[in-house]
Amino acid sequence: MLKIAVQKSGRLYEDSMRLLKECGIELNNGNKQLKAVALNFPLEVYFLRDDDIPQYVFDGVADIGIVGENVVLEKGKEVRSVYRLGFGRCRLSIAVPKSFEYAGPLSLNGIRIATSYPHILQRYLDEQSLSAEIHEISGSVEIAPGIGLADAICDLVSSGSTLFTNGLREVAVILQSEALLVANNQLNDEQRQLLDKLLMRINAVKSARKNKYILMNAPNHQLANITALLPGMKSPTIVPLAEEGWSSVQSVVNVDDFWEVMEKLKSFEAQGILVMPIEQMIV
Ligand code: ATP
Ligand code: MG
């Protein structure tokens, strides 16, 4: 059995559960207990506060975990990052009240900064050779300047709307973060094999989301151009149509290049282009 720690509720919960589901893992967790067992994969899921996950994985109570990079760095526990999951994206930033005259990092010298991330903040201050007074608080950091507890804050930001409603302005980004899959450093062979199996599935899900399946009809004299444009996974599938001189072409296209590829296909006289999502992609 591989044991995975995930956040029990909060910003990472939904995406973590969705990832397991897309990996084909079903849980019997009807009434949200502390622990759930997968029905069709040797996996046990522990639902925890995100702050505790690095410690549990470090101690080996859980073998792997899904947690924000910000939390991993703050806790400083030696765990191995095995996959950048691409959700839970945010940044850890320094923000000051609108009236604060910020003229660069030197403006932080000697001020009081409230944060739940004292270690990451201290490291940033050291790197910049700055000295500021760090006030560690565990929540609602954004109200600290308003109540006179601090001159500035260092907190997680995604859209910036919380800062805005509290009359704060983001002046420096000190960390870009996303959810990580982390693992204990001393997994045994069996656990490592299970982790590899899970990683193979995660890769399949993530590659699938980055690609689309594409199908079209094209005149035979353009097939060389289209094949060069759409290399696909190995090379495109080309099947002759009943109509003389035409073929059906099937391939895979990266979503980042999607519109550019579409325009070129049109210029190569492709017709009846169908684009479909891919559920799983094993390369
Ligand atoms: P817990 O009860 O588990 O301790 P929490 O309140 O500490 O939860 P959440 O607010 O649910 O934590 O955030 C969990 C993680 O989501 C953060 O550590 C961070 O990695 C990520 N995240 C993404 N966007 C944001 C954001 N705008 N604000 C805070 N966290 C964010
Ligand atoms: Mg937390």
Side-chain angles (χ1 to χ4, degrees), residues 123-140:
R123 202 181 63 189
Y124 170 78
L125 294 173
D126 291 346
E127 277 165 14
Q128 303 278 323
S129 310
L130 300 169
S131 81
E133 205 179 298
I134 298 176
H135 282 251
E136 181 179 351
I137 49 179
S138 60
S140 304

Side-chain angles (χ1 to χ4, degrees), residues 23 47 59 70 73 94 97 144 146 148 154-155 193 197 229 239 251 274 277:
C23 287
F47 297 96
D59 289 342
N70 50 307
L73 290 174
I94 293 177
C154 170
D155 202 9
Q193 275 166 22
K197 229 169 148 179
L229 179 67
V239 188
S251 193
L274 301 180

Side-chain angles (χ1 to χ4, degrees), residues 7 9-12 49-51 68 70-71 88-90 156 158:
Q7 193 187 22
S9 64
R11 290 173 200 262
L12 300 181
R49 289 280 312 272
D50 70 344
D51 314 65
N70 50 307
V71 176
R89 285 187 198 276
C90 57
L156 294 176
S158 46

Side-chain angles (χ1 to χ4, degrees), residues 32 34 56 109 136 141 152 209 228 264:
K32 262 210 156 183
L34 168 69
Y56 276 78
N109 254 332
E136 181 179 351
V141 173
R209 261 193 242 145
K264 290 200 177 127

